[in-house]
Amino acid sequence: MKRKTVKRFIIILAAGMLVTSSTGCGTKVSATDAEVPIQEETVIVAQEDADTESDDQTIMETETVGEAENERVYVEHEYFFAVEKDSIDWTASTEKIDMDALIPGGSSLELHNSLDVYTPEGIMVGYTKPNVALDIFNYNDDWYCFEFANDNDFHYLLIKQEDVKNDTGVETKLITQEDVISYLEEYFSNAENGYELLDAPEPDMDFVELSISQTDWDYLDNLTESTIGGDDDRLLRAYAKFYIEGMESKYNDRDIWVRVYYKDLKTRK
């Protein structure tokens, strides 16, 4: 109603200006001439509602187009939809991912629904197609990274671990040093097997150093059966007292290192 009131005001004002202008130019106004503005005014008023209705539709379409122009337009790629790379606002990053800190993957994920994808700069640029299987290139506790070698615009894209877990129930966690220490402490605190776990190392204890990849959960589950390792396995099983200590990584941040102190041979039965 507000738009119609405004339009009606403008139309009547325009009609009034037309009559005034004609009079001002010195045109003689006769009875016959006076009928012309009355007919024109009648025509204008009669058309006003129709014109207003049409104009309202035009305004709505314009507003819709305006909204569409503000929306992001996505381009289809093989496994995902993404905005054109030239249209990305690279200043909109909220969380840049440290790609060097990611751990090599090797497994794949089968996604059920479309999930948001991000650039290494942490900018959301699109979403995956539903029901796609993607090979994990590398990852950490927060992100999965995927390589699209044949894609000229997006070579690497990332998906949040939390989104994958909500979609598939799959969670890929990295092994921590605390995981390894807890595992070994539980194993060597088993008195029934003749072990005793100490609260601190004693001066006369020997030790071995063990390493395990942050991604190798199967290896951790069999650590005491295999690695304690290879040649050290029988050695450690032969002793009674132990202490487990975490170490700094020797070569990179992708392996967990611990030191296992031991002493006192078990009494043979």
Side-chain angles (χ1 to χ4, degrees), residues 10-256:
I10 294 173
I11 292 172
I12 294 171
L13 179 60
M17 290 174 65
L18 178 62
V19 174
T20 303
S21 175
S22 298
T23 305
C25 290
T27 303
K28 184 177 180 180
V29 179
S30 63
T32 304
D33 293 332
E35 291 178 2
V36 174
I38 294 174
Q39 291 176 348
E40 289 181 353
E41 185 178 359
T42 302
V43 171
I44 292 171
V45 173
Q47 291 179 345
E48 187 266 343
D49 287 339
D51 291 343
T52 302
E53 187 174 305
S54 174
D55 285 347
D56 280 349
Q57 291 176 355
T58 302
I59 291 170
M60 288 177 62
E61 290 173 1
T62 302
E63 289 172 353
T64 301
V65 171
E67 290 173 0
E69 288 173 351
N70 291 331
E71 292 177 357
R72 308 179 94 184
V73 178
Y74 293 92
V75 178
E76 182 176 6
H77 296 251
E78 184 176 2
Y79 295 100
F80 56 90
F81 294 90
V83 297
E84 293 185 355
K85 196 168 186 179
D86 293 340
S87 68
I88 297 175
D89 180 5
W90 296 102
T91 66
S93 175
T94 57
E95 179 185 359
K96 187 172 181 179
I97 295 96
D98 184 359
M99 299 292 284
D100 293 333
L102 300 181
I103 304 298
S107 58
S108 63
L109 288 173
E110 294 185 7
L111 305 179
H112 301 157
N113 299 291
S114 294
L115 301 181
D116 293 338
V117 292
Y118 298 78
T119 67
E121 290 76 19
I123 301 171
M124 198 280 282
V125 293
Y127 51 91
T128 66
K129 294 180 178 179
N131 301 313
V132 295
L134 301 176
D135 293 330
I136 301 171
F137 181 70
N138 49 24
Y139 69 100
N140 61 18
D141 282 340
D142 299 312
W143 297 94
Y144 292 107
C145 178
F146 304 93
E147 180 182 26
F148 301 100
N150 298 324
D151 197 298
N152 294 326
D153 290 330
F154 298 100
H155 193 73
Y156 298 105
L157 287 175
L158 298 100
I159 299 177
K160 291 183 177 180
Q161 273 233 31
E162 182 179 2
D163 291 345
V164 172
K165 183 179 178 181
N166 292 336
D167 181 55
T168 66
V170 173
E171 183 178 20
T172 307
K173 302 297 289 181
L174 298 177
I175 297 172
T176 66
Q177 190 172 76
E178 289 72 20
D179 292 326
V180 178
I181 292 175
S182 294
Y183 182 90
L184 293 174
E185 285 181 341
E186 182 178 357
Y187 184 85
F188 287 117
S189 61
N190 190 332
E192 292 183 1
N193 289 337
Y195 300 132
E196 179 184 357
L197 185 66
L198 304 179
D199 294 330
E202 296 180 353
D204 58 342
M205 298 184 83
D206 293 318
F207 64 84
V208 293
E209 294 176 346
L210 307 176
S211 69
I212 179 171
S213 168
Q214 287 182 283
T215 63
D216 201 342
W217 285 95
D218 290 337
Y219 189 73
L220 177 62
D221 290 341
N222 296 286
L223 184 60
T224 52
E225 300 299 326
S226 58
T227 323
I228 293 192
D231 294 338
D232 296 320
D233 181 38
R234 290 185 298 274
L235 173 68
L236 291 182
R237 289 174 182 271
Y239 286 84
K241 293 183 179 181
F242 295 89
Y243 174 76
I244 316 299
E245 179 180 73
M247 296 174 52
E248 290 187 7
S249 180
K250 284 192 171 184
Y251 309 112
N252 55 57
D253 294 331
R254 298 175 180 176
D255 294 327
I256 303 299

